[in-house]
Amino acid sequence: MIGFRFSNRSLNDDIVVLLLLLSSFSLMCSGIRYFPVTGDTEIQSRSDVLSGFTEAPEYRNGAGCSPATIHVAMTIDLEYLRGSIAAVHSVLRHASCPESVFFHFIAAEFDPASPRDLTRLVRSTFPSLTFKMYIFREDTVINLISSSIRIALENPLNYARNYLGDILDTHVNRVIYLDSDIIVVDDIQKLWNTTLQNNRVIGAPEYCHTNFTHYFTDRFWSDPLMSRVFGSRTPCYFNTGVMVMDMQKWRTGSYRKKIENWMEVQRRKRIYELGSLPPFLLVFAGDIEPIHHRWNQHGLGGDNVKGSCRKLHAGPVSLLHWSGKGKPWVRLDDGRPCPLDRLWEPYDLFRRHHHRQQSAVGSLGVDGYGREFKFDWMDWYEGILVM
C-alpha cells in the first residue's frame, strides 16, 4: 500500500510533488500489450466479446472423404478473436471434408481471455469441431523481441509460429499455419496436398518481384558476414501468415534455434525494422516450396502505418489475407470499410454484427438459418474467386 502525506508547504507545491510521484510510477510500469480498457470496464468488455458469437452451421464431410486428418495451427487471443472465428468458419464452409480438419489453437499465457474461456467459446461456436488449445509461454520469447515500426508487431503471440515444433504434439508431423486475419474461399485440402520437394521445410507463395533489400537495414547489407547468408540462394519475399510446414524436418533441423539466433543479432545490431517476419526470411528465403499466389492474397489491411485500402492482386483467389494495419472487423464497426472488407463480412459470427447483417440481407429476400448472414451475390463472387 502506498500513502501520501501532505506537508506544511503550499497546496500547489504538494500537487506538484504528487504529480511527479505519479509520473514516476507510470515509468516503472510496462506491459506486453495495450488494451484501452481497465478494471470493471475491461471485465465487462471481455465478457461481451466472449459471449457475443452465434453458433456456426454444422458442416459435415462429403462423399469420398478419407480418414486422414488435416492439421491447421492458428493463434487465438481476445484482440483478434473475431478474425480467428471468421477464419475457422471460412475453412469449414469451403472444405470438402470439414470433419477431417483438426485445429490447433495457440493462446497467450497472459491474455485477458484465458485459454479456458477461449476453449469454451470455440466449443460453443463450433460444437462439432475437433481442436486442441495450447498455452504459449510469452516469457519464452519476450527477451528476444525488438521494437518494430508498429507496436502490434511486437505482440509475443506473433512469434508463436517459431515454436510450433515445441508447442504441437510430437505426432503432428505436418501442419498448415494460418494467421487470424484471413478467410479461405477454397477447399483447404488443396493447400494440404502441397508437396514439399528437395527436402524443403516450408511452402508458401513467393513474391520475387518485390525489392528484397527493403526488408533489412543498410547495416545488414554492408556487413559481408551477415549478408553472406544469402550467398548460395536467391531470396524472395514470402508472407509467414500462410505456410505449409513439415514439423518433423523443423524439429530435427533445429529451426527454432536458427531463428532465435537472428533475433539475438537484431537486438545487438538492428538489422531490420519489421517484427517476426525477417528472421524467417533470413533462414528460409530462397529455399521454400513455392505455392500458387492464390493461397495468399495478402496486404489487404493496407500499409503498416496508414492502413490504406488495397485491391486484389491479379489472378484467382483461394485465400484473402488482411495483413497490414487495417483489420476488416474494426473498419466495418467504424462504418468505414474498404471495399474488400465486404468479402470478410459473411464469415463474421459476432452476434451484434450478425444482427445488423440480418436486417440488411433480409431486405434482399435471403432467408434460412444458414443464409441469414450471407449476401446472395457472394455465391456468384466466390465462384469467380476460386476459378
Side-chain angles (χ1 to χ4, degrees), residues 95-380:
S96 57
C97 302
E99 294 176 280
S100 301
V101 184
F102 190 105
F103 280 88
H104 302 265
F105 294 111
I106 300 145
E109 185 177 16
F110 300 114
D111 192 73
S114 72
R116 181 173 296 181
D117 291 335
L118 295 170
T119 298
R120 190 179 299 115
L121 169 65
V122 172
R123 187 177 292 124
S124 64
T125 307
F126 305 102
S128 59
L129 187 71
T130 52
F131 70 97
K132 183 173 182 177
M133 191 74 63
Y134 303 80
I135 300 175
F136 178 56
R137 292 190 56 184
E138 296 177 320
D139 60 1
T140 303
V141 72
I142 192 68
N143 292 326
L144 291 171
I145 297 175
S146 303
S147 60
S148 185
I149 60 174
R150 187 160 58 90
I151 193 169
L153 299 177
E154 300 170 26
N155 183 339
L157 202 57
N158 291 339
Y159 295 82
R161 61 175 74 98
N162 302 4
Y163 299 89
L164 288 179
D166 305 285
I167 295 171
L168 302 183
D169 295 330
T170 54
H171 72 269
V172 179
N173 292 325
R174 181 185 178 89
V175 71
I176 296 173
Y177 177 83
L178 297 177
D179 271 353
S180 297
D181 51 0
I182 63 97
I183 58 169
V184 175
V185 293
D186 203 348
D187 188 355
I188 196 74
Q189 179 79 49
K190 298 176 184 177
L191 183 58
W192 179 256
N193 289 339
T194 298
T195 300
L196 300 178
Q197 304 181 67
N198 301 322
N199 207 36
R200 287 167 174 153
V201 181
I202 65 173
E206 281 187 309
Y207 301 89
C208 295
H209 63 280
T210 61
N211 189 337
F212 192 81
T213 61
H214 289 170
Y215 294 98
F216 301 96
T217 63
D218 291 339
R219 183 170 188 174
F220 171 83
W221 292 114
S222 62
D223 188 311
L225 291 178
M226 285 193 292
S227 58
R228 191 188 300 171
V229 68
F230 297 121
S232 60
R233 47 193 167 115
T234 304
C236 293
Y237 164 78
F238 67 94
N239 182 281
T240 52
V242 180
M243 295 185 291
V244 178
M245 309 177 69
D246 186 319
M247 299 314 302
Q248 192 169 14
K249 292 176 183 174
W250 178 281
R251 296 181 182 108
T252 57
S254 301
Y255 286 97
R256 162 193 168 172
K257 185 58 180 175
K258 292 176 182 178
I259 289 173
E260 286 181 334
N261 288 342
W262 280 113
M263 294 176 69
E264 290 170 356
V265 172
Q266 160 72 354
R267 286 186 64 82
R268 298 194 308 269
K269 298 187 176 181
R270 192 72 181 178
I271 59 174
Y272 54 80
E273 300 297 337
L274 290 172
S276 59
L277 169 65
F280 258 84
L281 296 179
L282 287 162
V283 175
F284 292 108
D287 191 24
I288 69 169
E289 185 67 32
I291 296 176
H292 197 286
H293 291 170
R294 68 189 303 154
W295 285 105
N296 195 352
Q297 283 266 351
H298 67 285
L300 304 185
D303 62 78
N304 276 310
V305 179
K306 297 181 180 179
S308 54
C309 293
R310 296 276 180 87
K311 295 180 180 180
L312 287 176
H313 312 161
V317 183
S318 293
L319 183 148
L320 297 101
H321 186 186
W322 277 261
S323 56
K325 183 178 181 181
K327 303 305 172 188
W329 57 92
V330 175
R331 295 192 295 217
L332 285 162
D333 285 356
D334 288 346
R336 296 179 298 166
C338 290
L340 290 178
D341 295 345
R342 298 297 181 187
L343 300 180
W344 181 90
E345 193 172 19
Y347 302 94
D348 185 16
L349 293 175
F350 194 57
R351 188 174 293 112
R352 187 171 57 201
H353 190 67
H354 178 74
H355 289 327
R356 287 203 301 268
Q357 289 191 59
Q358 285 181 358
S359 222
V361 175
S363 66
L364 296 174
V366 180
D367 56 13
Y369 173 74
R371 307 280 297 181
E372 287 181 332
F373 56 93
K374 180 170 177 284
F375 292 106
D376 56 357
W377 55 263
M378 184 58 68
D379 283 330
W380 170 81

Side-chain angles (χ1 to χ4, degrees), residues 27-89:
L27 290 173
M28 289 186 282
C29 297
S30 61
I32 293 174
R33 232 168 300 166
Y34 170 73
F35 289 90
V37 290
T38 57
D40 293 340
T41 306
E42 179 179 345
I43 293 171
Q44 183 61 45
S45 175
R46 182 175 68 232
S47 176
D48 288 346
V49 173
L50 291 172
S51 62
F53 291 87
T54 189
E55 184 178 321
E58 193 169 8
Y59 298 99
R60 294 298 183 185
N61 281 359
C65 286
S66 73
T69 300
I70 298 172
H71 294 278
V72 177
M74 297 178 62
T75 60
I76 187 168
D77 66 350
L78 190 66
E79 187 176 4
Y80 282 76
L81 188 55
R82 274 175 69 183
S84 299
I85 296 298
V88 174
H89 186 202

